[in-house]
Amino acid sequence: MDLVVRAVRAEADGVRSLELAPAHDGERLPPWSPGAHVDVVLGTGPDAPVRQYSLCGDAGGTGDTGDTGAAGDTWRIAVLKTADSRGGSRHVHENVRAGDVLTVRGPRNHFSLRGSSRYLFIAGGIGITPILPMIAATEAAGADWRLVYGGRTRAAMAFTDRLEPYGDKVTLVPQDEAGTIDLDALLAAPEPDTLVYCCGPAGLLDAVEDRCAAWPPGTLRVERFAPAAKDPKDPEDPADSKDLGEEREFTVVLRRSGLTLTVPAGTSILQVCRDNDVPVLASCQEGICGTCETEVLDGEVEHRDAILDADERAANDTMMICVSRCRGAALTLDL
Ligand code: FES
């Protein structure tokens, strides 16, 4: 869908937010839930980069998000300008202006907020973005929560103004003043009935996963935009998924396109689609971003991504066509 950039704001050193609204009168944005993200096409043409950004406004339409429209009228995303940008974040910071139109897909949510009476949120840098609507929802539900939010410097930490009203529920940890988050102390002892949600750089996620190993299974939820470090002892580890057995040829039926195609060993479904001029969005092509997620209509998937959890894999109703394959002879997809 095409969305117009209604406003661009500087949120912190190196962080800009975009407020997005339907480009055409009378259109409404789809509903979303805390933890959801959207795919944004940054540029034109088939090779334009596609990047994923968490929605960081108010999913319920009742909070003070700074958005100029109610939920359903605007979305808000925030973009960190990274030194090693492959073109996505630099494009947003240097070229995108109010009034521009961007192509956006989604929202999708693989980091959804489950019900609990207590939450511990841990955010690093721009990882604060999916946590903001989670906090608003948790606060509205009357659950107990606290947030520990680390960043390089106070000036580089976005949205601290939105967190200020929450008082001592929020602990800010600017690295230049206080060092890094003391995870050993924070996660020393499992807390009953507490869910831990963490988003941030891979090093923080790995460290939190390590400290939470002794907590009850299912306690920790993280959102990753890079492959996890591989755990050779864990057969369910998604990072192991690329080592699953020999690749075999199979058939893919694209129902909407009316095509039946052969996917050879060593070639992805995504590549076969592109070779046959079937339009598909993709970004990472490593099974970590979710851009190429496609509905499965028939057949059994061999999941090789790092996004879907065990329940989502077992449901067999969606797959990442850049890496995942077929367990049997054929798959039918909604393409
Ligand atoms: Fe990123 Fe497929 S393109 S998961």
Side-chain angles (χ1 to χ4, degrees):
M1 99 195 91
D2 289 338
L3 301 183
V4 66
V5 179
R6 191 183 281 184
V8 180
R9 298 188 189 91
E11 300 290 355
D13 286 352
V15 179
R16 289 182 129 195
S17 73
L18 306 183
E19 187 182 317
L20 305 170
H24 307 290
D25 287 346
E27 286 182 352
R28 297 273 292 170
L29 296 173
W32 60 282
S33 56
H37 70 271
V38 292
D39 303 305
V40 182
V41 182
L42 296 167
T44 55
D47 296 326
V50 181
R51 298 288 181 265
Q52 296 69 47
Y53 299 106
S54 297
L55 293 174
C56 61
D58 179 8
T62 55
D64 178 17
T65 66
D67 291 356
T68 54
D73 294 331
T74 61
W75 283 341
R76 194 175 180 187
I77 60 173
V79 181
L80 170 70
K81 187 175 185 181
T82 54
D84 60 348
S85 167
R86 290 172 292 153
S89 74
R90 192 170 354 112
H91 178 78
V92 171
H93 277 259
E94 295 177 2
N95 301 323
V96 174
R97 305 273 180 269
D100 288 355
V101 173
L102 299 176
T103 299
V104 178
R105 190 177 108 161
R108 289 177 289 112
N109 197 342
H110 294 296
F111 191 45
S112 57
L113 190 64
R114 287 181 291 146
S116 180
S117 56
R118 298 178 70 195
Y119 298 88
L120 170 60
F121 299 109
I122 304 172
I126 197 67
I128 190 64
T129 50
I131 303 293
L132 290 169
M134 289 186 177
I135 287 174
T138 303
E139 184 78 3
D144 189 18
W145 66 272
R146 62 195 171 115
L147 164 69
V148 181
Y149 173 21
R152 276 186 299 106
T153 64
R154 202 172 283 269
M157 296 170 68
F159 303 116
T160 51
D161 54 332
R162 280 172 60 181
L163 297 169
E164 214 171 286
Y166 297 125
D168 59 9
K169 289 181 174 179
V170 175
T171 304
L172 300 182
V173 189
Q175 193 171 348
D176 62 335
E177 298 173 27
T180 55
I181 298 171
D182 186 351
L183 296 176
D184 288 330
L186 186 63
L187 300 167
E191 295 175 17
D193 306 321
T194 299
L195 292 181
V196 181
Y197 279 78
C198 179
C199 187
L204 175 68
L205 303 186
D206 291 342
V208 170
E209 282 186 339
D210 183 55
R211 305 308 192 284
C212 283
W215 289 52
T219 296
L220 174 64
R221 301 277 292 186
V222 302
E223 179 155 71
R224 258 178 210 285
F225 288 107
K230 193 160 123 175
D231 179 356
K233 298 187 293 297
D234 183 0
E236 294 295 318
D237 186 341
D240 263 351
S241 56
K242 285 181 185 157
D243 298 336
L244 286 172
E246 289 282 302
E247 283 195 359
R248 289 178 300 97
E249 181 177 295
F250 59 94
T251 298
V252 66
V253 179
L254 309 183
R255 184 165 291 171
R256 275 190 285 125
S257 307
L259 293 173
T260 298
L261 305 171
T262 298
V263 182
T267 303
S268 67
I269 300 174
L270 174 72
Q271 189 58 52
V272 169
C273 288
R274 288 186 162 171
D275 290 347
N276 287 275
D277 298 324
V278 177
V280 279
L281 273 186
S283 179
C284 71
Q285 301 193 37
E286 295 179 58
I288 55 177
C289 73
T291 305
C292 67
E293 183 171 5
T294 299
E295 190 179 342
V296 178
L297 302 175
D298 195 26
E300 192 180 353
V301 180
E302 181 181 289
H303 293 287
R304 299 184 168 206
D305 63 273
I307 301 164
L308 301 179
D309 63 24
D311 291 343
E312 290 167 330
R313 287 174 176 227
N316 197 64
D317 54 11
T318 187
M319 71 183 294
M320 308 306 148
I321 60 170
C322 63
V323 290
S324 295
R325 303 185 66 82
C326 176
R327 277 200 194 285
L331 284 174
T332 303
L333 303 178
D334 184 29
L335 282 173

